[in-house]
Amino acid sequence: DTAVSQTPKYLVTQMGNDKSIKCEQNLGHDTMYWYKQDSKKFLKIMFSYNNKELIINETVPNRFSPKSPDKAHLNLHINSLELGDSAVYFCASSRTSSGVNEQFFGPGTRLTVL
Amino acid sequence: SQQGEEDPQALSIQEGENATMNCSYKTSINNLQWYRQNSGRGLVHLILIRSNEREKHSGRLRVTLDTSKKSSSLLITASRAADTASYFCATDGDAGGTSYGKLTFGQGTILTVHP
């Protein structure tokens, strides 16, 4: 009964490939997020969806495309992977999009681009 | 750009001692949150303090907020080996604005508690 789950946990791929990461939350939350954590542990928000609607879209290359088929799922597709995309990607959710809510994080997906 | 700066970057203490971590930020905020990240795991929410609060407690955690200095501190009392983790502060948006839950994280403090 994991609250926020991500698959896969590890992803190793070659430059130029396209890959997807999936995220699911069973908390009944309205809002979901994607974060990128680099090798220096710096965590930066990429996207956020509220009830399937995109509400935060940070300056991210358009090779990254999020998709939310329903409010319990938020997937991240990455085209033409580059070396600099190597990082840990975290999905998170919160009850609403209000900033007073705590965010619940998934276990992360470690992406390595060779 | 990065909102929070944390200090120290790394802290090493003995079990039973207190650990204090500091966070400074640049813009006005609605609230500030602290998260813990164990190695190889996701972040776990610890505590939230609103911009109109000065101090908050939760178990062995004590958080202070000084909006005039744009800084916050997290104190862990009577530390345990299980407290070993990275600790991040995160700020929510510009005061009075709509942040849509956009949290801006500091660079984190790595805490090591030796048994």
Side-chain angles (χ1 to χ4, degrees):
Chain A
D1 53 346
T2 306
V4 181
S5 59
Q6 295 178 227
T7 54
K9 189 166 172 63
Y10 299 96
L11 190 49
V12 181
T13 188
Q14 300 285 334
M15 260 186 1
N17 283 350
D18 303 338
K19 289 293 178 185
S20 291
I21 308 171
K22 296 187 175 183
C23 177
E24 176 180 1
Q25 54 95 1
N26 63 5
L27 298 167
H29 288 170
D30 286 346
T31 309
M32 296 183 73
Y33 311 82
W34 277 113
Y35 287 89
K36 178 181 180 181
Q37 187 173 45
D38 64 21
S39 58
K40 295 184 180 175
K41 295 276 192 100
F42 178 47
L43 194 71
K44 185 167 167 52
I45 190 165
M46 301 171 69
F47 303 102
S48 174
Y49 274 74
N50 187 63
N51 272 322
K52 302 195 295 176
E53 180 186 345
L54 181 67
I55 57 171
I56 296 175
N57 186 355
E58 290 294 285
T59 306
V60 175
N62 57 16
R63 298 181 294 104
F64 290 78
S65 52
K67 276 193 173 59
S68 182
D70 55 62
K71 73 175 194 177
H73 296 85
L74 180 61
N75 303 322
L76 183 65
H77 188 75
I78 315 170
N79 288 327
S80 303
L81 279 155
E82 299 178 357
L83 293 176
D85 297 332
S86 294
V88 181
Y89 291 84
F90 287 99
C91 176
S93 73
S94 62
R95 192 171 56 84
T96 71
S97 59
S98 167
V100 299
N101 293 304
E102 67 177 280
Q103 294 184 15
F104 292 77
F105 282 76
T109 296
R110 182 174 293 276
L111 172 64
T112 304
V113 182
L114 304 175
Chain B
S1 64
Q2 195 172 338
Q3 165 77 309
E5 299 275 338
E6 297 194 50
D7 168 52
Q9 290 192 357
L11 181 60
S12 182
I13 59 174
Q14 294 296 126
E15 240 180 354
E17 293 180 343
N18 294 342
T20 299
M21 289 158 270
N22 303 297
C23 167
S24 60
Y25 55 91
K26 295 173 184 161
T27 63
S28 54
I29 60 171
N30 293 320
N31 64 69
L32 185 145
Q33 302 183 36
W34 284 90
Y35 286 80
R36 183 187 76 228
Q37 184 180 30
N38 288 83
S39 181
R41 309 288 290 272
L43 281 75
V44 175
H45 181 265
L46 294 176
I47 197 165
L48 179 151
I49 186 165
R50 296 174 189 258
S51 58
N52 61 355
E53 296 176 312
R54 291 295 165 259
E55 189 170 310
K56 205 157 180 184
H57 298 253
S58 176
R60 294 184 296 113
L61 306 180
R62 174 179 165 249
V63 168
T64 62
L65 180 64
D66 186 336
T67 52
S68 66
K69 295 181 179 177
K70 293 187 170 59
S71 67
S72 174
S73 68
L74 170 68
L75 167 68
I76 304 174
T77 59
S79 63
R80 305 166 182 167
D83 295 329
T84 295
S86 294
Y87 291 82
F88 295 86
C89 67
T91 53
D92 166 42
D94 293 328
T98 302
S99 67
Y100 297 112
K102 176 183 171 183
L103 293 182
T104 304
F105 283 82
Q107 63 195 40
T109 293
I110 300 170
L111 172 66
T112 304
V113 181
H114 300 280

